[in-house]
Amino acid sequence: MQLKSQEMRKLAPELDPLRIGTGWTKEDLGKVQVMVESTYGDSHPGSGHLNILVEEVRKGIAEEGGFGARYNCTDICDGESQGTDGINYSLASREMIANMIEIHANATPFDAGVYLSSCDKGVPGNLMGLARVNIPSVFVPGGTMNAGPEMLTLEQLGMYSAKFERGEIDEEKLDWAKCNACPSCGACSFIGTASTMQIMAEALGLALPGTALMPATSPDLLDFAREAGRQAVRIAQMENMRPSDIVTMDSFENAILVHAAISGSTNCLLHLPAIAHEIGWDFDISFANEISEKTPNLCHLAPAGPTYMEDLNEAGGVYAVMNELNKKGLLHTECMTVTGKTVGENIKNCVNLNPEVIRPIDNPYSQTGGLAVLKGNIAPDGGVVKRSAVCDEMMVHEGPARVFDCEEDAIAAIKGGKIVEGDVVVIRYEGPKGGPGMREMLNPTAVIAGMGLKVALITDGRFSGATRGACIGHVSPEAMAGGPIAYLEDGDIIDIDIPNRKLNVLISDEEMDKRKANWVKPEPKVKTGYLSRYAKLTTSASTGAVLE
């Protein structure tokens, strides 16, 4: 088959000398050319080690007779900007990463791509980018972080901070937590968005089997990276091995099945629709309800449970979960993967090595999966909750609304003792347009958990994968777009019914129409720079907050 890189060499006479000036040899120019794209940088533990994996990928490419060219667009970390205006850039950065991949791949000729990332927006940004570019591609997860002493993880810092502020622990104990919460590189070791999206990459068939949960410190990850390089050269010379050939609606269903079984981050329902959009499909998030209803919950991962990413890896990883699901005939086993084999062929010999970490399909934690999409007069287009992390007494709840127009005001009220048991905290104007950037509401949920309050929280913002409790995010349409959440008032009775997937305010249609007529759209919080442009172009969370 004719390689794109060799066609482009004939059309662009300056291409060869410019690459020679970059260190390519004359012989390299005639090889299969592979773009090695990573989010390497000193920004956070998920990206700081990726340069090591990049070089292993390039060795694998060379061993298979190709040449690997390094490109990167580093990402930022939600945790480092939590509680500040910096968090507004997090979701917006996903689009920039996808855009830079498009620019790198389309401005210069490549026959295949290898993409390396391991954090919240880096992974979906890369998956969006590789889908958009649509050249034969392999995704390499950057591995998972080890848990700290006493199984300490980063998501517990909010609890430690709340205890310190209440005088329950001293500064020395708080410093201990800060110094030990991130003991290594890699994605956070609880089932946050980073680990969830690495799992989704493998479940979609875009990553090599066994890579999603490999510890970032494991020598085996180096071997996987090298093999990914080799495989990229192979599939560059095969027909029908582009992302659009691998990522089908059936493979998306497989991914959602896995998500339901492991009870992953709610942000998955922000990123999977965005990836589907790049392939050219509409993705209705309500589809997750149908999948969740038929998918047993097999894992109870931290923070909702006692097991961590390293435990899930040792139990057999993603494909062991998929093999359990296949015992019930739930998977589409005919889906192709980047290995050149089908899902069915890949999972054939994968065994569940620890039934305490991955429950057998006939002995699940529950008969239904971890997520639910709620709809009603507050969220006509949906709101997302991790129902597996909601206690039984909050699954159905009525309570008075305590309404706040930003995260900071809500936190001040919670810490000030103005929120009591049974309240429904509403934080709005934090959606993709309103934030802008759809801030993560980790701090309010951490403070609520730290204070032991049994309350619900509703927002058009989003949550961390670490969220626990009756926390309903992604409420759509958002307040800034004139969604009904904008019309809520203090004291309104909010009716939450998670089993029946309902989210309503108990007012009449006439009252709702009256409030809508009186609503005045606030001034944008940001009027210059990238966030201003992002706010104008972004869409609803229910469609993945993609740019128009």
Side-chain angles (χ1 to χ4, degrees):
M1 62 183 293
Q2 183 66 37
L3 295 172
K4 179 183 176 183
S5 62
Q6 302 311 307
E7 293 176 359
M8 291 295 291
R9 287 179 67 201
K10 298 173 184 177
L11 298 173
E14 294 180 340
L15 180 60
D16 284 1
L18 287 168
R19 285 188 160 170
I20 289 171
T22 313
W24 297 46
T25 67
K26 184 177 179 180
E27 291 72 27
D28 291 335
L29 297 170
K31 298 175 180 178
V32 173
Q33 296 176 12
V34 182
M35 180 177 74
V36 184
E37 180 85 41
S38 79
T39 54
Y40 166 65
D42 291 331
S43 49
H44 57 86
S47 290
H49 65 302
L50 295 180
N51 59 321
I52 300 170
L53 298 180
V54 164
E55 294 310 315
E56 292 300 316
V57 169
R58 296 182 78 220
K59 289 175 185 177
I61 292 168
E63 289 167 358
E64 199 65 26
F67 185 84
R70 291 164 293 193
Y71 287 76
N72 74 291
C73 177
T74 196
D75 52 356
I76 61 172
C77 177
D78 289 26
E80 292 180 359
S81 55
Q82 202 66 249
T84 74
D85 290 341
I87 193 70
N88 296 79
Y89 287 93
S90 179
L91 182 60
S93 72
R94 183 192 71 177
E95 316 308 313
M96 293 299 293
I97 292 167
N99 290 342
M100 287 307 302
I101 289 171
E102 176 189 354
I103 291 168
H104 291 158
N106 289 346
T108 46
F110 287 101
D111 306 309
V114 179
Y115 305 82
L116 301 94
S117 185
S118 66
C119 204
D120 291 30
K121 306 308 170 298
V123 177
N126 272 267
L127 296 178
M128 289 168 64
L130 71 84
R132 187 186 303 175
V133 169
N134 201 32
I135 58 176
S137 301
V138 181
F139 180 76
V140 179
T144 59
M145 183 184 293
N146 301 322
E150 301 178 19
M151 302 310 288
L152 176 68
T153 59
L154 186 65
E155 54 86 21
Q156 298 174 35
L157 259 293
M159 177 189 69
Y160 276 93
S161 294
K163 286 185 175 181
F164 173 71
E165 290 185 13
R166 295 199 305 271
E168 296 175 14
I169 61 172
D170 58 21
E171 189 170 1
E172 183 178 356
K173 186 64 175 179
L174 178 61
D175 285 343
W176 172 87
K178 289 180 178 179
C179 292
N180 289 282
C182 296
S184 76
C185 54
C188 292
S189 57
F190 54 89
I191 190 67
T193 305
S195 295
T196 297
M197 291 310 298
Q198 290 189 158
I199 291 168
M200 292 297 96
E202 188 172 332
L204 284 168
L206 293 170
L208 296 179
T211 54
L213 295 164
M214 183 66 59
T217 53
S218 171
D220 292 341
L221 189 58
L222 302 177
D223 296 335
F224 275 119
R226 189 177 290 204
E227 178 58 23
R230 297 189 196 101
Q231 187 63 11
V233 177
R234 296 178 195 128
I235 64 176
Q237 301 170 87
M238 296 167 63
E239 298 290 345
N240 303 320
M241 287 300 291
R242 298 172 182 268
S244 59
D245 300 311
I246 292 170
V247 182
T248 65
M249 282 308 295
D250 284 347
S251 62
F252 266 110
E253 185 168 343
N254 283 346
I256 300 172
L257 283 161
V258 172
H259 187 280
I262 65 170
S263 192
S265 166
T266 54
N267 287 320
C268 181
L269 289 189
L270 195 61
H271 300 314
L272 286 182
I275 298 165
H277 174 78
E278 299 295 346
I279 298 288
W281 299 322
D282 292 328
F283 186 106
D284 183 353
I285 61 171
S286 297
F287 182 53
N289 284 335
E290 178 186 333
I291 301 299
S292 195
E293 274 302 304
K294 66 180 182 181
T295 309
N297 179 211
L298 304 181
C299 300
H300 208 205
L301 298 160
T307 54
Y308 294 80
M309 295 305 101
E310 54 203 87
D311 301 315
L312 183 53
N313 178 63
E314 291 170 3
V318 177
Y319 273 22
V321 173
M322 294 178 81
N323 205 14
E324 286 293 339
L325 294 172
N326 197 43
K327 293 175 182 177
K328 198 175 178 180
L330 295 172
L331 284 182
H332 296 283
T333 55
E334 74 285 357
C335 291
M336 182 52 63
T337 73
V338 291
T339 64
K341 299 178 180 179
T342 64
V343 167
E345 291 173 301
N346 285 342
I347 69 172
K348 186 176 180 180
N349 297 315
C350 294
V351 179
N352 181 358
L353 300 174
N354 189 340
E356 295 302 313
V357 176
I358 304 172
R359 285 280 186 91
I361 195 73
D362 56 0
N363 183 34
Y365 284 102
S366 66
Q367 292 296 332
T368 55
L371 284 191
V373 177
L374 312 185
K375 290 190 175 183
N377 64 1
I378 296 176
D381 295 337
V384 181
V385 62
K386 185 187 280 193
R387 65 180 178 184
S388 60
V390 180
C391 61
D392 290 342
E393 56 264 39
M394 292 298 289
M395 293 291 282
V396 177
H397 177 71
E398 279 190 13
R402 299 291 178 252
V403 183
F404 304 93
D405 288 346
C406 66
E407 177 189 16
E408 291 82 0
D409 289 350
I411 292 173
I414 297 166
K415 289 182 176 179
K418 297 179 181 178
I419 305 300
V420 299
E421 297 243 338
D423 283 350
V424 179
V425 178
V426 177
I427 307 177
R428 62 191 180 191
Y429 296 106
E430 293 287 6
K433 290 181 177 293
M438 202 176 182
R439 288 198 287 181
E440 188 176 277
M441 301 291 113
L442 179 60
N443 281 349
T445 58
V447 174
I448 288 170
M451 296 180 70
L453 286 173
K454 285 187 178 178
V455 299
L457 197 159
I458 298 172
T459 180
D460 52 8
R462 58 190 176 87
F463 293 112
S464 163
T467 298
R468 289 166 282 179
C471 298
I472 302 162
H474 306 196
V475 169
S476 302
E478 64 173 290
M480 198 65 172
I485 191 173
Y487 318 143
L488 298 182
E489 297 177 358
D490 270 341
D492 283 344
I493 300 301
I494 307 298
D495 180 18
I496 300 169
D497 186 346
I498 294 173
N500 291 305
R501 304 184 191 90
K502 301 291 185 182
L503 179 62
N504 290 292
V505 56
L506 301 183
I507 60 173
S508 66
D509 292 344
E510 291 77 15
E511 176 63 18
M512 184 71 84
D513 290 341
K514 178 183 175 182
R515 294 182 186 184
K516 181 178 180 179
N518 292 329
W519 177 72
V520 177
K521 183 177 181 178
E523 284 291 309
K525 296 175 185 175
V526 180
K527 298 183 180 181
T528 60
Y530 174 52
L531 285 179
S532 175
R533 294 191 293 274
Y534 176 84
K536 293 172 184 174
L537 296 173
T538 190
T539 56
S540 171
S542 63
T543 56
V546 297
L547 301 187
E548 291 182 327

